[in-house]
Amino acid sequence: DLCVAFDNGLSDRQITVYNGWDEEDFQNLPDAAPRDCGFEIAYFGAIYARRSMKNLYTALRTLRDRKLLPAETKLRLYGNYFRETYADIENSGIAELIEVVPQLQHREALAQMMQADILVLTINSSSPYGTLTSKIFEYLRSQRGILAMVPSDKEAPKSTLNCSAW
């Protein structure tokens, strides 16, 4: 893609550096905090600028109202958030389903990630072509379901749809 965009001659002068996860990070993880819900949807990371969970909140509220959410569903947001995020939660209509967990050390976060039922991945639709958060690789390694709220014509769907189970 870079060669097409900038200079076809680049292909002779480039190397590919692959991203991924560090397998050692997943070895001997600390015990995760016990789950206190029947079904956990988890998001790890920042919510800022044009990134919002409002559409997810609306979808979860609709599912709850139609009695289609699994029993005791919780949406856990792992990270440190600005007051706008807390205001969005309060105005979501499902504040009782949402829990904010302060940022954890990396290995503690991985332990919690491995325990969640669904992991939320979000990428702004206004992000330029070529934007792929590194979180996706740890999500894939966790072997959990991924709810991808991402532009359908960019890299993230291609990365998650073509993976195989380990």
Side-chain angles (χ1 to χ4, degrees), residues 105-127:
Q105 294 293 320
H106 185 240
R107 289 177 49 75
E108 292 175 89
L110 291 176
Q112 294 300 325
M113 188 182 296
M114 298 289 288
Q115 191 170 312
D117 294 294
I118 298 289
L119 300 170
V120 176
L121 177 69
T122 182
I123 297 175
N124 303 346
S125 59
S126 60
S127 295

Side-chain angles (χ1 to χ4, degrees), residues 53-55 57-58 61 64 83-96 98:
M53 295 291 174
K54 288 180 185 178
N55 290 330
Y57 300 159
T58 299
R61 186 178 65 239
R64 184 207 54 202
R83 66 176 175 231
E84 292 84 2
T85 299
Y86 290 96
D88 288 347
I89 291 169
E90 286 304 311
N91 296 322
S92 69
I94 58 164
E96 73 282 0
I98 303 171

Side-chain angles (χ1 to χ4, degrees), residues 19-145:
N19 202 338
W21 63 84
D22 187 342
E23 186 61 31
E24 287 182 18
D25 289 347
F26 286 85
Q27 303 308 310
N28 303 311
L29 290 174
D31 290 335
R35 283 185 21 188
D36 60 352
C37 65
F39 188 80
E40 181 181 356
I41 303 166
Y43 176 77
F44 292 83
I47 301 172
Y48 53 85
R50 296 172 306 240
R51 187 173 295 169
S52 170
M53 295 291 174
K54 288 180 185 178
N55 290 330
L56 176 60
Y57 300 159
T58 299
L60 291 175
R61 186 178 65 239
T62 300
L63 290 171
R64 184 207 54 202
D65 293 349
R66 294 180 183 172
K67 300 186 181 348
L68 296 173
L69 274 183
E72 299 181 48
T73 295
K74 278 280 189 195
L75 169 59
R76 290 207 170 92
L77 307 176
Y78 290 86
N80 297 325
Y81 302 104
F82 297 110
R83 66 176 175 231
E84 292 84 2
T85 299
Y86 290 96
D88 288 347
I89 291 169
E90 286 304 311
N91 296 322
S92 69
I94 58 164
E96 73 282 0
L97 300 181
I98 303 171
E99 178 184 346
V100 174
V101 179
Q103 185 172 339
L104 303 172
Q105 294 293 320
H106 185 240
R107 289 177 49 75
E108 292 175 89
L110 291 176
Q112 294 300 325
M113 188 182 296
M114 298 289 288
Q115 191 170 312
D117 294 294
I118 298 289
L119 300 170
V120 176
L121 177 69
T122 182
I123 297 175
N124 303 346
S125 59
S126 60
S127 295
Y129 189 82
T131 300
L132 187 61
T133 176
S134 60
K135 176 187 331 191
I136 194 171
F137 300 103
E138 289 178 340
Y139 276 18
L140 289 169
R141 169 55 180 86
S142 75
Q143 302 178 50
R144 313 311 296 162

